[in-house]
Every structure is written in structure tokens, then in C-alpha cells.
Amino acid sequence: QELPPICSDVRQKQRLSIDTLPPEVKAPFPSDPIIPLRTKTTKEFQEDTERAVQSGDWREVREFYLTTFDSFIEINAAFKVGHVNKHNRQSPQDIQKSVLKGIINSLLREWKGTSTYVIYAHLLRQIAVLSEADHHFLVHWLKKLSARRFRQLVERLLQFISTRLFPAEPDELPPLTKCSWWIPSATKVLSLFNAANSVSSPPIMPFTDFYNITLEHIDFMEEYRTWQNYGNSNRFSFCQFPFILSTVVKKAIIQKDSEQQMISQARQSLVSKVSRRQRVDMNLLFLNIKVRRAQLLSDSLDELTRKRCDLKKKLRVTFVGEAGLDMGGLTKEWFLLLVRQIFHTDYGMFTYMKDSRCHWFSSWKCDNYSEFQLVGTLMGLAVYNSIALDIHFPLYCYRKLLTPPTVPCDQNALVGMAAATLDDLQQIMPELAHGLGELLSYEGNVEEDFYLTFQVVQEEMGAIKSYNLKPGGDKIPVTKQNRKEYVQLYIDFLLNKSIYKQFAAFYHGFHSVCASDALMLLRPEEVEMLVCGSPELDMSALQKAAQYEGYGKTDSTVRCFWDVVLAFPLELQKKLLHFATGSDRVPVGGMADLNFKISKIDVPIDWLPISHTCFNQICLPPYRTRKELKQKLTIAISNAEGFGLE
């Protein structure tokens, strides 16, 4: 019996199915499918297989499989009978691998209708349920793919997930109830690509390219609750695979989680008052911070220490002697001034590293590390209240902050002791890291030429102090044999042990506010983005997202405003952003998330522009010339501290 020929209506069916796909998943392919190249009958194929078994020469069978499994038309024709698949299972492993390779390549090259999605989904399920050892093998195989091919496969998987979540037509794919395993399988396979990317040095593609922005439109809080309740069990949640969730989604989860905690905290305070029949003061719903500008740091420390039970309430700041009401602007101002004072070199808590342009913890010893706890609390409050801070910590600091991501139950457990490498030291002390790198690669006599021991010296508050990296370290010379141990111990001393108490206080301060399971979803880079926002100012993006009240975007005053702002140097652009919003940082969602508004104010044109930082709004008098607007705007944004009411 001969294998059935391709029927005449196959091409028409394929055209109909491809037309139902959304534009983004339509891959280019020839308009007319190629007629099958295979002409063998089943009997001829069986004879070829029997000869191969006897002679050990599988070339003809291999050629048949390569031709057949290189396109769906060939596969469909061949698999209408089961002999090909049966004989494939009897063939040597390299023949079976050729078949699998052909199937994968044709699946990834051609997307032609519902049947293709179904086959692709089944393939993904088979990969997803492989053993851990096979997954390990696959990860190392994926590492060897070209960057272009690797990216193609990742994008195809992301596209498959998006199409399954939001098909272009309701009946384009099988009902979700019948194929609920599609998305979990695809996500698990995608996690193998993410693992391969993570263990590659440098990564094959940026980790942000694994984000699926489609997930910004699903009920991600339901995903989060499922993950909280079931963890990494068989109940699937995207939160089990946080690499696929964008920073926008993670920020939203943290904010919603924070809001729930804020509401819960406020409700408890309210119920407590009512149950004791006390008069309810609406202030109990807020974390009220009252400070004097002249004693900003000490007042803030006292307030946060006294009110540490209220840290999860909505923050509200009052500056003594000023009539400004805090609708968000005063809070931003408080953060800005406090951070500026804490990180000033004269204050001594942090050392500014000129070569790496970042701050690091001072190693001086003291009896009270409460001010480091204050900085951690500030950072936690900033994330909790969606305020971006102008803080310059190295990425390694955020890795320490996530070690572990939730506070251990055991109060004596070590925190912040993240494994440190020479690359981590390079982020903070590049010159020292370079010197240690030279020590590791030195070909000469290490002991005689370097004359080092397992003892290091540090300057603390003007005094030189020595520390042994291991017991009796001052008597142990560094040699070619033990230099790796010396370098590792030295790095660990600098980045962990010498600042342990400072960082532990900082860690507990941060987590006293941000005690959320959502932190387990974050990479260090994403924590940095949540704390600091983005330093990249794109004023053109701000212009596109701007809203207007009293003006139109084509009015001469508005056109002059943007001409001036786009021509400003970076420093003045930062001052403008600070003037209008209370912060010179861009939030996670970009300029569009600022809801920046330009309003018309009917006052004489000799007035300066006015801002409402609570609402990210700038009010412009109807200036007539570009020169006039530039002069008034520059004066306003350069003198923008302090709040008052008229």
C-alpha cells in the first residue's frame, strides 16, 4: 500500500489557518507549499530499513528522515500511517536525533495554523517533563547556540505564551480548559533558556529581553496569591518563574502588597481606638513625620525610632514652621534632603569611591549603628511609597540586600553575607581589584616579590588597623599555592566581614518596611531600579506624554517651553524635573508614568513659573518670548527648596 499523496485542498486549508493568526506571529513562508519530495512506498521503506539493520549502513534511511522531517507537508504525508514512526524507534540514536532535530527546526521555522501550535505545545511538554539531568544537558547545549538563534527561540516561546493568553480570534486555538498545560510547559522550557543565559559570561542577551509585557495585562495579583498559597508546587503561577515578569509588574505587585499592608495596619489602629471608645483622629491612619530643616537628620531618626510600629502606614511629612500640606511633594523633598545629608562625605557613614563613582559603607566601628538602620528604613519607605532616590550603591549592595530576600526567623542568623567575587570588588574598588587580578596571574615568585601575609590593614577614622584574614594570618605568607585563598578571603573581608554590623543594621532597616514575599521575585538590578528609578532623562519622551490645561500643545508658550527644555544641559533638565515632581529620578514605568502636566496661570508675565510637586504639575504664565521664558524658568528651577502657601 502506497503512502497517501497530498490532497489538493491542503494548501487552501493552510492559507485559511495562517490568516487567523495575529500579525506578530506570522512568519514569512512561500505562498505555495513545496510538493513532497518523498516518493517511496511503505514497502520500499521497510526494505530499506531491513537492509540497514543487516548491513549497518543507514545512509538511505537517514536521507529519507532528513527529507521527511524537514517540512510539515512531508511529516503529514508520512505520518498518516504509523510505519515511519515505528521504524524510527528501531533505528540508531543518531537517526532518532536527526528526526528530532528536523521536527524542532521545522516547528520553529514555520507557523502555519492551529495544528502547528498543537504540535509545538506537545513538543514543549516533552521537553518540560525531561529529567533534571537532561535539563542540565540542554542548558549547556543551549549555551552553544549563536546569539541570533538563541534570541529567535526565546522570542518564539514568548510569542507562543502571548498568543495562548490572548489569541487573535476566540476559536483560533483549542479551548483553554483542554490545553491548560500549554503555558506552564512553554514557561518551563523558557526557564532553560534563562538558565543558559544566566550561566553564560557575558550573558547571551539582556535579562530584560526575557520579560513578557503581555503579562502586564493579566491578573498578576491572582498569580501572586496563588504563588503565596502554593509556593513552587504543581499549581502553576508565573511568579514561580519571575524572570518572565517585567519590573513594571513586579513594582505593581509590591505596591499592591504594600497597600494591603498599609490598609491592614490602619484598620488595626482604627479598631483599637474604637474598641477603647477613644476619639478617632485621622492622623492615626498615617506615618506622620514632623521635622525641622535645621535638625533634619536627628529629628528624622527620632521620629522613625519612636514610630517604628507605624512604618507600614502611608507616609506624611511636615516641616516645622512651614505651611505646606503634604500631598506627596513634601515627602519627596524630605527624602531628597535627607539622602543628600546622609551621603555627604563629611558625615562619614559612607565613603565615596571616586574611581567607581559609588558609595560604600565606612568600616569604622561604633557602639550604635542606628543611623545605618535609618538609611535602610529610608530605602524601604521609598520603595513602599513609590519614591525614587538619588542613591549610588554598587549592584553588589542590592545582592546583599536580597541575602536572604526575607528576614530569617532566627535572630542570630547572618544576613547580607552574599558570595563575593573579584568582579564584585571591581564594581566598588577597581584599582584594588586590578592589583589582586595581577597577583593571581603573576608568573614569578609570589612569596618573595609581593611579600604579603594573610593580614590586611585598613584606615579607620584616621587610624591604621590590621586584621588577620584567618587565625595566625600575620605569620602565613602568601604563595603561588595559596594566593587564590588569600584573594577570596580579602574580598570577603572587604565586602562582608569588615562592614557586617553596619550592613546588618541597614538590612534590617530596609526589611522592617519591605517585609514582602514579593522581594523574592526580584533580581538585584530590579531592586536598584525600584529604589533609584532611572537616571536616564528622556525629555522628548516627557514631551510626548505631557498633558495640558489651559494651553494646547501648539500654543507659542508651550512650544517655547519645550524648545528651552530640550536645549537645557542635563543638570538643568534634572533641576526642572525636581522642580515639577520633587525628584530628579524617572520612575520604573518611564516618563509616561509621571503624568506630567503643563497648566496656564493667568498672572502678570513678570511672575516666575509655579509647581505643584504633589501632582507633577508646572504652571506657566503666558510668556511672550523664548528668551523671557528661559530666564524665568531657570531662576525658578534653580531656587526650588522649601514649601509655602500664599
Side-chain angles (χ1 to χ4, degrees):
Q1 184 184 8
E2 292 195 358
L3 291 172
I6 295 294
C7 59
S8 59
D9 66 341
V10 165
R11 295 180 185 81
Q12 186 61 31
K13 285 180 182 174
Q14 286 175 339
R15 284 202 188 101
L16 287 171
S17 60
I18 190 66
D19 288 341
T20 65
L21 294 180
E24 64 270 17
V25 300
K26 292 180 182 176
F29 62 94
S31 55
D32 288 318
I34 300 164
I35 297 299
L37 300 173
R38 173 196 43 71
T39 57
K40 285 185 186 294
T41 64
T42 303
K43 186 177 180 182
E44 288 169 339
F45 173 69
Q46 285 175 320
E47 289 171 355
D48 286 347
T49 306
E50 287 166 6
R51 278 197 302 273
V53 171
Q54 291 168 4
S55 67
D57 184 356
W58 289 85
R59 279 177 298 181
E60 272 197 61
V61 177
R62 185 174 185 276
E63 186 60 35
F64 171 82
Y65 277 126
L66 287 177
T67 303
T68 299
F69 290 94
D70 196 44
S71 86
F72 285 123
I73 294 173
E74 300 286 346
I75 292 171
N76 289 338
F79 270 77
K80 284 185 179 176
V81 291
H83 297 291
V84 174
N85 189 37
K86 182 181 73 177
H87 285 291
N88 179 47
R89 288 198 295 270
Q90 297 170 356
S91 62
Q93 273 202 342
D94 62 325
I95 302 293
Q96 293 182 31
K97 285 180 182 176
S98 296
V99 173
L100 183 59
K101 181 180 176 184
I103 292 173
I104 293 172
N105 282 335
S106 56
L107 278 167
L108 297 174
R109 188 175 60 245
E110 306 178 59
W111 285 65
K112 302 181 182 177
T114 303
S115 61
T116 309
Y117 280 100
V118 174
I119 298 169
Y120 188 63
H122 277 278
L123 174 64
L124 294 177
R125 179 157 68 172
Q126 293 306 312
I127 297 172
V129 299
L130 287 172
S131 68
E132 189 177 341
D134 288 338
H135 281 166
H136 185 74
F137 174 81
L138 263 176
V139 165
H140 287 277
W141 178 70
L142 292 171
K143 276 175 61 181
K144 296 178 181 178
L145 292 174
S146 70
R148 186 183 66 83
R149 187 63 176 147
F150 188 90
R151 179 178 288 277
Q152 278 180 342
L153 300 180
V154 168
E155 289 173 352
R156 183 68 77 196
L157 284 161
L158 289 169
Q159 193 180 83
F160 176 81
I161 293 167
S162 299
T163 306
R164 176 62 275 185
L165 282 169
F166 301 104
E169 299 293 337
D171 57 349
E172 178 187 358
L173 298 174
L176 196 54
T177 51
K178 290 188 177 180
C179 52
S180 58
W181 49 269
W182 280 27
I183 288 174
S185 297
T187 309
K188 285 171 187 173
V189 174
L190 190 61
S191 72
L192 299 178
F193 282 86
N194 180 62
N197 194 59
S198 299
V199 297
S200 299
S201 185
I204 302 165
M205 55 194 278
F207 71 89
T208 51
D209 289 353
F210 282 87
Y211 291 164
N212 189 329
I213 57 172
T214 308
L215 302 183
E216 293 172 16
H217 305 287
I218 67 170
D219 185 354
F220 44 76
M221 287 310 293
E222 181 61 32
E223 296 285 324
Y224 178 62
R225 284 188 288 271
T226 299
W227 174 68
Q228 277 189 307
N229 293 333
Y230 296 95
N232 291 325
S233 66
N234 292 330
R235 182 79 176 267
F236 174 79
S237 163
F238 281 114
C239 291
Q240 293 169 325
F241 305 92
F243 65 85
I244 200 173
L245 300 174
S246 70
T247 315
V248 172
V249 170
K250 289 168 184 168
K251 180 189 175 187
I253 289 174
I254 287 174
Q255 280 183 326
K256 300 261 186 198
D257 199 36
S258 300
E259 285 168 12
Q260 291 301 318
Q261 291 184 39
M262 283 181 184
I263 291 167
S264 176
Q265 189 91 33
R267 187 184 289 124
Q268 285 175 20
S269 299
L270 199 60
V271 169
S272 175
K273 283 275 187 185
V274 171
S275 65
R276 294 200 300 268
R277 299 188 177 183
Q278 295 175 336
R279 190 172 66 86
V280 175
D281 181 357
M282 292 310 291
N283 281 326
L284 66 83
L285 300 178
F286 296 91
L287 168 58
N288 292 289
I289 300 294
K290 186 178 282 191
V291 292
R292 297 164 293 177
R293 283 185 186 269
Q295 282 80 35
L296 185 71
L297 194 57
S298 58
D299 283 1
S300 298
L301 183 59
D302 290 344
E303 286 280 85
L304 291 175
T305 303
R306 281 194 304 110
K307 298 174 179 177
R308 56 174 164 266
C309 293
D310 296 334
L311 291 177
K312 293 191 176 182
K313 294 180 182 177
K314 183 71 177 171
L315 180 60
R316 197 162 67 179
V317 175
T318 304
F319 284 97
V320 175
E322 297 182 23
L325 300 176
D326 190 10
M327 301 293 288
L330 286 172
T331 295
K332 294 177 189 174
E333 174 83 349
W334 177 69
F335 275 115
L336 187 85
L337 297 177
L338 206 48
V339 165
R340 190 184 296 168
Q341 192 166 330
I342 286 169
F343 285 90
H344 197 284
T345 50
D346 291 348
Y347 201 66
M349 285 179 67
F350 297 93
T351 303
Y352 183 68
M353 304 294 185
K354 290 181 181 176
D355 292 340
S356 54
R357 290 186 290 185
C358 70
H359 287 99
W360 191 242
F361 295 76
S362 294
S363 57
W364 51 266
K365 307 295 184 286
C366 64
D367 297 327
N368 186 358
Y369 295 95
S370 58
E371 290 180 346
F372 286 100
Q373 186 161 353
L374 167 65
V375 182
T377 304
L378 268 181
M379 273 180 51
L381 285 170
V383 172
Y384 208 63
N385 291 272
S386 301
I387 305 288
L389 300 180
D390 188 13
I391 287 179
H392 302 275
F393 282 131
L395 188 61
Y396 179 69
C397 175
Y398 298 98
R399 183 136 58 84
K400 284 170 71 70
L401 208 52
L402 293 176
T403 309
T406 55
V407 179
C409 297
D410 181 1
Q411 292 186 344
N412 297 318
L414 295 176
V415 296
M417 297 290 283
T421 66
L422 201 57
D423 288 339
D424 296 319
L425 187 65
Q426 177 75 30
Q427 295 174 18
I428 306 162
M429 307 170 192
E431 195 174 328
L432 177 57
H434 177 73
L436 291 175
E438 287 191 333
L439 169 63
L440 289 174
S441 60
Y442 189 65
E443 297 292 340
N445 188 317
V446 171
E447 185 174 355
E448 290 183 4
D449 296 347
F450 283 86
Y451 202 66
L452 294 169
T453 65
F454 276 71
Q455 184 184 66
V456 293
V457 294
Q458 263 194 334
E459 183 182 341
E460 294 176 12
M461 306 295 281
I464 301 295
K465 295 193 175 181
S466 58
Y467 296 92
N468 285 344
L469 298 178
K470 57 194 294 190
D474 56 324
K475 296 180 177 61
I476 304 172
V478 176
T479 65
K480 203 167 190 175
Q481 287 70 38
N482 65 18
R483 60 184 171 180
K484 280 187 181 177
E485 182 192 9
Y486 168 79
V487 168
Q488 190 54 52
L489 288 173
Y490 194 8
I491 293 170
D492 188 52
F493 172 78
L494 289 171
L495 303 188
N496 285 317
K497 291 178 179 171
S498 68
I499 58 160
Y500 179 76
K501 289 184 178 177
Q502 293 88 322
F503 193 88
F506 174 77
Y507 172 95
H508 286 293
F510 179 81
H511 287 274
S512 67
V513 188
C514 285
S516 170
D517 290 339
L519 285 175
M520 288 190 269
L521 306 176
L522 297 174
R523 295 172 59 100
E525 297 93 335
E526 292 166 331
V527 179
E528 181 180 29
M529 181 66 81
L530 288 176
V531 171
C532 304
S534 171
E536 303 299 323
L537 300 191
D538 184 352
M539 286 298 171
S540 297
L542 186 65
Q543 182 182 11
K544 286 177 187 172
Q547 303 165 33
Y548 301 95
E549 190 177 273
Y551 284 121
K553 63 169 66 176
T554 58
D555 287 350
S556 61
T557 302
V558 170
R559 290 205 312 272
C560 287
F561 174 82
W562 288 115
D563 286 346
V564 168
V565 169
L566 293 173
F568 268 161
L570 179 62
E571 202 51 46
L572 281 181
Q573 288 182 342
K574 282 189 170 186
K575 284 185 176 180
L576 170 73
L577 200 63
H578 171 228
F579 175 72
T581 71
S583 170
D584 62 2
R585 314 289 287 186
V586 182
V588 168
M591 289 293 199
D593 268 17
L594 285 173
N595 295 317
F596 179 67
K597 182 184 281 189
I598 298 175
S599 300
K600 186 174 184 178
I601 179 170
D602 291 318
V603 295
I605 57 171
D606 59 347
W607 277 46
L608 296 175
I610 296 170
S611 69
H612 301 293
T613 54
C614 315
F615 309 109
N616 298 338
Q617 182 179 15
I618 188 168
C619 302
L620 293 177
Y623 298 121
R624 290 190 290 261
T625 66
R626 186 176 183 276
K627 181 180 178 183
E628 189 176 40
L629 187 146
K630 182 178 180 181
Q631 180 193 18
K632 301 290 186 188
L633 184 62
T634 305
I635 292 171
I637 66 177
S638 300
N639 298 273
E641 280 185 15
F643 284 74
L645 291 175
E646 304 221 345

